[in-house]
Amino acid sequence: MAAPLDDKTRAIITACVPALEGHGLAITTEMYRRLLANPAIRDLFNISHQKDGEQPRALALAVLAYARHINDPGVLGAMVERIAEKHVGLNILPEHYPYVAEALLGAIGHVLGDAATPEILDAWGKAYWFLADILIGREKEIYEAHEAAPGGWVGWRPFRVARRVRESETVTSFELVPTDGQPVMRHQPGQYLSFRLDVPGHGSQRRNYSISSAPDDSVYRISVRRIEGGVVSDWLHASVDEGTELLVSAPAGDFVLEQAPAITLLSAGVGLTPLMSMLDTLMGAGNAPALHYIHATRTPQTEAFGSHVRTLAAGGRIRHDVFYSRETPADDVVDAGTTQHAGHLTPEWLKAQVQPGGVYYICGPDAFMRSMVATLKEAGVPGKAIRFEFFGSAADAELAA
């Protein structure tokens, strides 16, 4: 366990909050510039999140939250868990942490100039290693759990694409089996796989993709939306066929299904992928809860897994609503247990669906999640009953909080 920070260090970090509010993004941007100059470290990152500024923004929010709560870091437990799970998925090891310390302290000095006194840099060095030791300890526990689990592993394991299926005009699924023919670790519904990929013309790439299938001992499925200009998604759709080998790390992530008497799954676009794993898991349970699945998409052509969900709804196993924002049907068309809606999913409609005591799992674009989370809270749903997953870095201030 990391030794507690002394009073002087905590006071200095607290005094730095205004500077972080004004210069935090500049500091984290400079930090990543320094880190990514090292090829051995650069390969650990999703470079697309650097190009759009998402990762520096996410880290700036995390550093600011840490400084604000330096006197009671326990309240940041959920953030620490999410970071640790992400690090394990990417196979971050203790020996990588000194590189980050050097880059962070160097960036603070570079951005703040003479204001970054030796006393301030010393305090941030202590604060960094305090948090780093907590993360290293938690990551060690997760690695050990992965190694001990039936079918588990640590590091990058070769998998083969056993099957690919076109789910919609934009989403394709890839079923993955290990090349060694041995069992795989059963994931928790909602978790993701991390990939180490060698994309021709773009070199080494790292990506996370949610597992869209129910837990299984032999196979995983990911479902990937093709993004125009997306380095990895374009390559997966255009070039990765059955038989292609990919390097994969063990399932990770803290957005996981927990039992409750009533559950609502709420997704938009490709945000449905982790919820498909939850849905199929719940359908396979002997005593499934009352389940409502709400999905928003552009058109019937972009609706992945639509026929599968409709089959469940037609059998009376779930309540299902789907919203089409473009090329919409007539409003409120009921078709064998599925209600189709024209237009966007609105806060007013969602408030009318709130189930007392229900738990809500949400995944989709940040703006969608921000709207849904705010709506549920306004409707009286307690924060602990609202769970959501980020695709990429947590770069939205409201959601990260």
Side-chain angles (χ1 to χ4, degrees):
M1 180 178 293
L5 293 171
D6 60 85
D7 292 345
K8 180 181 178 182
T9 296
R10 288 187 284 108
I12 292 173
I13 298 301
T14 299
C16 288
V17 167
L20 291 175
E21 290 172 339
H23 304 287
L25 181 57
I27 290 170
T28 55
T29 299
E30 173 64 17
M31 189 205 81
Y32 277 118
R33 186 192 69 78
R34 292 165 179 253
L35 267 182
L36 299 180
N38 183 334
I41 299 299
R42 183 174 61 241
D43 285 348
L44 298 172
F45 291 91
N46 181 337
I47 300 302
S48 69
H49 292 159
Q50 298 295 325
K51 292 179 180 178
D52 61 16
E54 183 176 302
Q55 206 154 34
R57 283 195 299 274
L59 181 60
L61 289 172
V63 172
L64 178 58
Y66 180 45
R68 284 174 172 166
H69 296 282
I70 196 69
N71 290 310
D72 186 17
V75 302
L76 302 176
M79 183 182 79
V80 169
E81 183 66 17
R82 183 177 188 276
I83 293 171
E85 290 281 352
K86 188 76 73 174
H87 284 180
V88 168
L90 295 172
N91 287 290
I92 302 296
L93 300 172
E95 54 263 37
H96 295 132
Y97 278 86
Y99 292 100
V100 180
E102 181 181 1
L104 175 61
L105 295 177
I108 291 172
H110 177 82
V111 172
L112 298 184
D114 292 342
T117 64
E119 189 176 48
I120 286 177
L121 292 176
D122 179 66
W124 273 103
K126 291 177 180 177
Y128 171 81
W129 281 109
F130 173 76
L131 182 58
D133 286 343
I134 292 173
L135 286 168
I136 290 169
R138 177 59 185 137
E139 289 157 18
K140 181 176 183 290
E141 292 175 347
I142 300 172
Y143 282 126
E144 290 174 348
H146 286 180
E147 191 169 31
W153 72 98
V154 172
W156 300 107
R157 184 177 179 183
F159 276 70
R160 173 176 56 84
V161 177
R163 184 168 174 253
R164 57 176 284 168
V165 178
R166 182 181 170 91
E167 307 290 359
S168 73
E169 67 178 19
T170 57
V171 176
T172 294
S173 287
F174 301 84
E175 293 184 4
L176 307 169
V177 297
T179 59
D180 60 17
Q182 297 300 306
V184 299
M185 183 177 118
R186 293 175 72 89
H187 68 283
Q188 296 184 68
Q191 289 189 309
Y192 53 81
L193 297 174
S194 297
F195 292 79
R196 177 183 174 184
L197 306 168
D198 187 11
V199 180
H202 297 278
S204 183
Q205 301 286 328
R206 300 289 188 276
R207 292 295 187 276
N208 304 319
Y209 292 109
S210 294
I211 303 170
S212 61
S213 54
D216 189 275
D217 294 323
S218 60
V219 62
Y220 300 118
R221 181 184 69 193
I222 61 169
S223 302
V224 181
R225 177 171 69 94
R226 188 169 199 165
I227 301 171
E228 185 176 352
V231 169
V232 173
S233 69
D234 267 350
W235 176 70
L236 286 169
H237 279 252
S239 304
V240 173
D241 297 314
E242 294 174 3
T244 301
E245 290 190 6
L246 304 172
L247 292 177
V248 185
S249 66
D254 63 337
F255 178 66
V256 296
L257 178 66
E258 297 178 10
Q259 290 296 330
I263 292 176
T264 297
L265 305 177
L266 185 54
S267 62
V270 78
L272 56 72
T273 51
L275 303 190
M276 284 298 103
S277 179
M278 294 182 180
L279 176 63
D280 285 346
T281 299
L282 290 167
M283 291 300 94
N287 187 23
L291 182 60
H292 189 185
Y293 177 51
I294 306 166
H295 182 59
T297 187
R298 292 182 177 180
T299 69
Q301 291 71 42
T302 62
E303 183 186 2
F305 301 105
S307 61
H308 173 59
V309 178
R310 280 173 168 73
T311 298
L312 297 175
R317 306 196 66 190
I318 66 170
R319 180 182 168 201
H320 181 220
D321 287 270
V322 59
F323 288 77
Y324 299 111
S325 61
R326 301 180 186 176
E327 298 180 21
T328 58
D331 196 16
D332 293 346
V333 175
V334 180
D335 178 23
T338 294
T339 302
Q340 303 175 67
H341 303 267
H344 293 279
L345 195 172
T346 65
E348 293 72 25
W349 184 90
L350 182 60
K351 286 180 181 179
Q353 315 305 314
V354 168
Q355 305 178 70
V359 176
Y360 295 79
Y361 293 88
I362 309 171
C363 191
D366 284 1
F368 169 83
M369 292 199 296
R370 185 168 59 249
S371 174
M372 297 300 101
V373 169
T375 297
L376 291 172
K377 288 183 176 180
E378 288 173 5
V381 178
K384 65 181 181 181
I386 304 172
R387 324 281 173 81
F388 47 90
E389 173 70 312
F390 296 97
F391 282 171
S393 302
D396 183 284
E398 293 180 46
L399 293 178

